[in-house]
Amino acid sequence: MKYAPLENFINGTHTSSNAATLEITSPVNGQLLSSVPLSSTDDVQTAVATAQAAFATWSGLTLRQRCDVFYRYRNLLQDNLDELSQICHEENGKTIGESKAEVLKAIELTELACALPNIVTGESLEVSPGFDCSIQQAPLGVVSCITPFNFPIMVPHWTIPMALALGNTMVFKPSEQVPLSANRAAELLTEAGLPDGVFNVIHGDRSVVEAICDHNDIRALTFVGSTPVAQAVYARATSTFKRALAMGGAKNHLIVMPDAEVQHTASNVAASACGCAGQRCMAAATMVAVGEVDHIVDQVVEQSKALVPGDNLGAVISANAKDRIEHFITEAEEQGATVLLDGRGATVAGYEGGTYVGPTILDNVTADMTIASAEVFGPVLSIIRANDLKEAIDLENASPYGNAAVVYTQDGQVARQFADQASAGMIGVNVGVPVPREPFGFGGWNDSRFGVGDITGRGSIQFWTQAKKITSHWVE
Ligand code: NAD
C-alpha cells in the first residue's frame, strides 16, 4: 500500500473509525494506494457535534480574521501544487497536467473567498429621519458538502473556502473513490491556522450521505454527482428543511455550423470530448453537425488520434467504468452508429493494471439511440447530423439536462440566436468547455441542477448566509 490507511479527519486530527474499509487502487496502473473507512452514522454524529461546538468561536471572528486563514491556505495550495497534483493523478487517473489545472482552479476559488471582505460590505440606509436599516449576512451554522470522483480537488473547493470564510463550520464527505486529496486539504487548512473542528472530513458511501441529509443540526448542504443521486439527496435534505443545492449529470451538445473555423473548432471539440478522459460534467457528449461539415468532422477525428492513453489521455476511474463506457460504444454500433475512431480495448504498456479507453467518435448517431441520451462519462463523442440551426437547437432543447451548450460559428446572429434559445446554464460561443471563471458562478439548468442559484461565484454568498435586517432608532 503506497499510503497509510486513511482515517476520518475530525477536530483537527486524524480519527479512527470502527467501520469497514474499502481499498483504493489507482486507475493509472492498478496499484493499491490506501484504504478508506466507510463510516457509520455514529461517526457522522461525532463529526457534526464537533462542527457544532466549533461554530460559536469561528463565526464570532470578523470576516477579515477568517479570511486571513484562507490567504495562508491559498499559498499552501501553491506551495504543495506538485504533491497535490500527484495525489489527484494517482487516485483519479487524470493526467498530471489536468491535475495541476485542478489545483490552480482550487487556488482561484480560494482567492474569491479571500476577496470577501471587499465584496460583503452589507447595506445601510437612513430610511426615515432617525431610523436606520442595515443588512448583515450571517452564517448558517454547520453545513455539509458531498462531492463526486471526477474532480477530487476542484469540486470540493467550489464550496469549502466560501462556506467557511463566511463563518460556517463543515462536515465534508468526499467520494469514497478519491478520498486522498480530501485529507491532504484538511491537513493544509489546519496548517493555515483553521481552528480545530471547523472543517471535518467524514469518509463513506451512501449511508453517510443519508445520515448527513437526515441530521437536524446540519443547516445546508451542497451535493455534486449524478442526476439520480442529486435528485434523491435534494429530496431527502429538503425534507428535513435544509437549504440544498444538488448538481447533477449532463449531456452537453456542441453545435458546429458550416462556417465554423475548421482547426479551432476541431481541436476544441476533441479536447472537450476527451479532456479528463471525458469524465467532466462540462464535456462535449454530442456534436450536432449542421449541414455540410464533413471537412470539420475529418479534422475532429485527426485531432482526436493525437490523444494517446497513458500519455496525454488519462485513465477512467475504474474497471467498471471502462466496461460501462465500452458497452455504450458497442450498443451504439449495434444500433447503427458508424465508428469513426474506436477506443475500445485500450491498454498502456507498463500500466496493464490501469483502466484506459481511447478516444472514440461515433457518426450518424440518431436521437432514438441509447447513446444519444445516456450520460456516457468517457472519451466518447457522438455526432448527430442536422439540416439547420433550428433542428440543432431542437435537439439540444430535447435533452433533459442543461449544463453546457456550445455553438461554433463565425456569424454573430447565429451565436446570438443559439445563446438565446439553448436550454442550458452555461453557453459557449466557440468555447468547448464554457466553465465561467470566478466570480461568474458555475451552475446548470434542468436535470443538471436541483435547487436555486449557482454553486460558485457571487450566488454562493447568498447560499451560505442568511440576511439579518436591523432597524435602529436612537432617541435623542
Ligand atoms: P455519484 O452520484 O455516484 O456520487 C456522488 C456522491 O454521492 C459520492 O460522494 C457518493 O459517495 C455519493 N453517493 C453515491 N450513490 C449514492 C446514493 N445512492 N445515495 C446517496 N449518496 C450517494 O457520482 P460520481 O460517479 O462520483 O460522479 C460523476 C457524476 O457527477 C456525473 O454524473 C457527472 O456529470 C456529475 N458531476 C456533475 C457536476 C455538475 O456541476 N453538474 C460536476 C461534476 C460531476
Side-chain angles (χ1 to χ4, degrees):
M1 199 179 278
K2 178 165 182 185
Y3 300 101
L6 287 178
E7 294 179 322
N8 292 326
F9 192 92
I10 299 175
N11 209 18
T13 186
H14 297 279
T15 306
S16 64
S17 158
N18 293 326
T21 57
L22 179 74
E23 288 190 339
I24 304 300
T25 54
S26 174
V28 174
N29 53 13
Q31 182 187 12
L32 181 60
L33 292 177
S34 182
S35 66
V36 65
L38 298 176
S39 305
S40 64
T41 307
D42 282 350
D43 295 324
V44 176
Q45 294 281 3
T46 306
V48 176
T50 304
Q52 185 82 293
F55 178 69
T57 307
W58 177 243
S59 60
L61 299 178
T62 65
L63 178 60
R64 191 167 283 282
Q65 285 172 317
R66 291 194 297 264
C67 286
D68 278 348
V69 173
F70 288 93
Y71 275 108
R72 292 192 289 274
Y73 179 62
R74 179 242 174 260
N75 290 341
L76 286 169
L77 289 175
Q78 184 73 56
D79 295 346
N80 292 278
L81 175 67
D82 289 340
E83 185 206 345
L84 287 164
S85 308
Q86 180 65 24
I87 294 172
C88 179
H89 164 65
E90 287 174 345
E91 66 179 351
N92 172 276
K94 63 180 65 177
T95 67
I96 287 280
E98 289 166 344
S99 303
K100 278 196 173 150
E102 257 205 66
V103 183
L104 293 174
K105 189 72 191 174
I107 290 173
E108 182 185 318
L109 290 152
T110 305
E111 286 169 352
L112 184 64
C114 292
L116 277 171
N118 302 322
I119 301 171
V120 186
T121 54
E123 291 173 40
S124 179
L125 185 70
E126 186 177 13
V127 289
S128 57
F131 285 83
D132 299 311
C133 272
S134 65
I135 298 179
Q136 294 175 0
Q137 295 298 135
L140 300 169
V142 181
V143 299
S144 188
C145 158
I146 302 157
T147 54
F149 78 81
N150 65 327
F151 282 94
I153 296 176
M154 180 189 77
V155 167
H157 284 80
W158 281 354
T159 57
I160 294 168
M162 286 298 255
L164 298 188
L166 286 162
N168 302 289
T169 57
M170 181 178 274
V171 173
F172 168 42
K173 208 299 279 178
S175 165
E176 67 276 33
Q177 297 186 85
V178 292
L180 286 150
S181 352
N183 278 35
R184 194 66 192 110
E187 289 168 354
L188 293 178
L189 280 164
T190 301
E191 193 178 332
L194 192 73
D196 293 347
V198 172
F199 179 69
N200 307 279
V201 181
I202 187 102
H203 293 289
D205 55 16
R206 174 182 185 158
S207 60
V208 169
V209 175
E210 292 179 346
I212 288 172
C213 290
D214 294 347
H215 204 299
N216 285 323
D217 292 338
I218 296 179
R219 300 286 313 280
L221 64 79
T222 53
F223 169 91
V224 182
S226 57
T227 288
V229 182
Q231 278 173 326
V233 166
Y234 184 79
R236 194 158 178 151
T238 52
S239 77
T240 51
F241 308 110
K242 287 177 185 49
R243 198 178 278 193
L245 184 58
M247 318 305 275
K251 186 83 184 172
N252 303 312
H253 289 64
L254 276 59
I255 307 326
V256 175
M257 299 299 291
D259 70 338
E261 203 285 318
V262 180
Q263 288 307 326
H264 170 80
T265 303
S267 60
N268 227 241
V269 171
S272 176
C274 298
C276 298
Q279 299 174 123
R280 285 193 286 202
C281 65
M282 294 293 279
T286 305
M287 169 176 153
V288 185
V290 180
E292 180 38 65
V293 292
D294 281 352
H295 57 300
I296 302 180
V297 171
D298 290 346
Q299 281 306 309
V300 174
V301 174
E302 284 311 307
Q303 298 277 356
S304 302
K305 283 181 185 163
L307 299 168
V308 180
D311 180 9
N312 54 0
L313 178 59
V316 298
I317 187 68
S318 62
N320 276 349
K322 178 177 162 77
D323 287 349
R324 193 198 68 242
I325 295 162
E326 294 189 344
H327 176 77
F328 273 123
I329 301 168
T330 302
E331 192 181 23
E333 189 178 30
E334 286 166 3
Q335 290 177 352
T338 312
V339 182
L340 297 181
L341 193 60
D342 190 351
R344 285 171 289 189
T347 52
V348 176
Y351 295 82
E352 284 76 10
T355 44
Y356 295 89
V357 179
T360 300
I361 300 181
L362 303 167
D363 199 359
N364 302 313
V365 171
T366 50
D368 55 325
M369 294 181 191
T370 313
I371 203 157
S373 54
E375 186 181 27
V376 177
F377 225 53
V380 179
L381 181 72
S382 299
I383 300 176
I384 300 186
R385 301 285 175 158
N387 291 313
D388 55 28
L389 180 62
K390 183 184 176 311
E391 217 178 282
I393 291 174
D394 287 347
L395 276 166
E396 192 283 330
N397 284 182
S399 168
Y401 299 104
N403 242 20
V406 174
V407 67
Y408 291 92
T409 181
Q410 299 190 57
D411 183 330
Q413 276 299 334
V414 168
R416 186 170 185 170
Q417 184 183 345
F418 181 77
D420 283 348
Q421 295 178 6
S423 180
M426 292 168 280
I427 303 295
V429 177
N430 300 319
V431 175
V433 184
V435 175
R437 294 284 300 261
E438 300 312 310
F440 297 91
F442 183 101
W445 286 6
N446 310 328
D447 285 359
S448 295
R449 193 262 325 252
F450 303 92
V452 177
D454 293 332
I455 196 165
T456 72
R458 292 191 192 92
S460 63
I461 299 172
Q462 301 301 320
F463 185 80
W464 293 120
T465 57
Q466 51 196 340
K468 181 176 277 180
K469 287 72 61 180
I470 302 167
T471 305
S472 316
H473 177 53
W474 294 96
V475 182
E476 275 185 28

